[in-house]
Amino acid sequence: MSGGFDLRDEPWIPVRLLTGESVPVGLRELFRRAHEIADVELPVPPAAAGLLRILAAMTARIAHDAGVRLDDAGVAEDIEDWHALRRQVLKRGRFDPEAVDAYFDRRVPAGRFDLFDRQRPFLQDPRLAAECVDASGAPNPSGVNKLVLGRPTGVNGAVLFGHFTDTAPVAVPAHEAVWHLIAQLYFGPSGQCTPRRITDVRAGSGDAAPLRKSVSYFAWAPQLFTTLVLAVPGPQVEADWEAADACPWEEELNAPLEPVPAPTWPGRLLTGRFRHAALLVPAADGRSVTDAYLTWSTHESPPAVRDPYQILDRRKDDTFQPREADGARALWRDVDSLLLKDSAHDAQRPPCLEDLPKQLLPSLRVRAYGFEQDGQQKDSVWFQATTPPVLQFQEETDPAMAHHLSRCHRVAEDTASRLEFAAKVAWKLATDAQADPSPKAKVRIDHRKPGPWASAALSRYWPCAEDEFWRLATPEQTTAAIERPFVQAALAALDEAIGKANRADIRVARARARARALVLALLPARPAA
């Protein structure tokens, strides 16, 4: 392999400037111009979720005030001192160009940011070329299709976005290969993989990547500089404070058969929990990737650590797990979990949204990156979404608005549940001649045959409910009655799902009336005169 694709200066990260212009930049230019950048426009959200963690770790190494960096362990001993340091960094308004160059050119060993370096390619393990071999000792790569998310692999791979096959692989441009490399390390599958021989055992299975099937939430500011500084997790995280902290590109290669190093703050916490190892095979000109090795990096138990960008939901056994990504769930339905304090609630908000500078709250939105997957091999859909500036309504700052938005969400969810039930009841009454259509008769629903009206009604309801949610998301609406807008949206969705009924369709008309009554029952009773 030859080097030559230096991620410090090659333009591989698409961004949008404050002027509205979209340009690709390398790592050096991204940090030097972060105060001029409005957004990161990576078209692969799982890669963006991983990249933000990588950039946050680099930010902790680069951002400083009077020579004291955000990753200073001494300052981290007192959270108030660390918050004060972060305020001073934010006050500077940009990264120090000299600190940027010092990190990329001197603090990290040469070649570590080269995608195709012979000794230490970025985020890769060059040992795989010798360890991923077949029974005869010949190289046994995984294939470039295995690297690129969305491409079919194997004999039975589904063709969704292009006619790619393992027998006629199509090279991927180097800048895109970086995106998929990052996405694989953070969201890669568990189960069978390319075998790797280190001992006499040729193991060919691995564990799921640390972010698999999850959604990540970041405080999103008008400038990337502020976004990155706020993305650096506070030092109150659970970590090993005795061991020296390092990112993969800053230290020597791991020993796959030895225990996993304990997470340290902030480098290993953000970039040191990978369960996969990868190696890209470049074309002769070093501008594209023609093949790749993807396999396991360790079989040791992963360290228990709280990811700073995830919501935790309470399980039935009172333990907590990261909220799973759902491509059908809009971001506004998570807003209350991002605003309310953790105490007495069934969700814990991401630590990165705690203790945000109050003067910035009116301008801060929330950016979410999610990847709906199962725990093993199936990838369904990825998504990216951004809220309006809602972090000004966190419970510590504006408890009235925080609880108002929580109440709006709860009413919207309750209305959706009632709408789904009502639509199933309507289908049962309209199609089962034995069903009793009288208003107070019990209706037994066959959940194996719910009919088409429920899903059709919900698909129409949720976009309208989102519009109503944001219409109500103002301080002027905190005392308003919030049930009726969601009920009206549900009734309209129900009518659209059932469609127009002929006058002779008396059974459908009665079913519609029964379903509407079920939804209308959600409205609070009017007080007696």
Side-chain angles (χ1 to χ4, degrees), residues 35-172:
H35 58 291
E36 303 174 10
I37 296 173
D39 207 344
V40 174
E41 296 187 319
L42 218 60
V44 182
L51 176 63
L52 262 294
R53 287 167 167 81
I54 292 170
L55 295 179
M58 294 178 178
T59 297
R61 310 291 201 235
I62 293 172
H64 72 90
D65 178 66
V68 182
R69 302 196 313 263
L70 279 179
D71 66 348
D72 188 284
V75 175
E77 292 179 356
D78 189 316
I79 188 62
E80 294 302 325
D81 289 345
W82 189 84
H83 285 154
L85 173 60
R86 185 177 66 176
R87 287 194 295 269
Q88 290 302 115
V89 168
L90 289 168
K91 188 181 296 185
R92 294 173 67 96
R94 61 175 298 172
F95 292 113
D96 178 3
E98 293 186 3
V100 173
D101 291 341
Y103 180 72
F104 287 118
D105 296 334
R106 295 189 291 278
R107 288 195 58 205
V108 177
R112 299 290 178 86
F113 292 109
D114 195 322
L115 192 64
F116 305 131
D117 184 72
R118 293 177 181 273
Q119 303 298 323
R120 286 296 306 278
F122 184 71
L123 291 181
Q124 298 162 70
D125 191 336
R127 298 172 297 190
L128 300 189
E131 295 173 351
C132 293
V133 294
D134 60 21
S136 63
N140 183 32
S142 310
V144 69
N145 290 346
K146 190 70 173 177
L147 169 72
V148 180
L149 297 177
R151 285 191 182 182
T153 59
V155 177
N156 297 318
V159 177
L160 299 178
F161 306 114
H163 291 273
F164 304 99
T165 65
D166 289 341
T167 56
V170 178
V172 59

Side-chain angles (χ1 to χ4, degrees), residues 481-497:
I482 60 176
E483 292 85 3
R484 186 167 295 277
F486 294 108
V487 167
Q488 293 295 340
L491 292 174
L494 181 66
D495 287 341
E496 289 183 32

Side-chain angles (χ1 to χ4, degrees), residues 210-223:
L211 301 186
R212 187 161 183 87
K213 66 179 184 178
S214 72
V215 56
S216 303
Y217 305 85
F218 296 87
W220 210 258
Q223 305 87 21

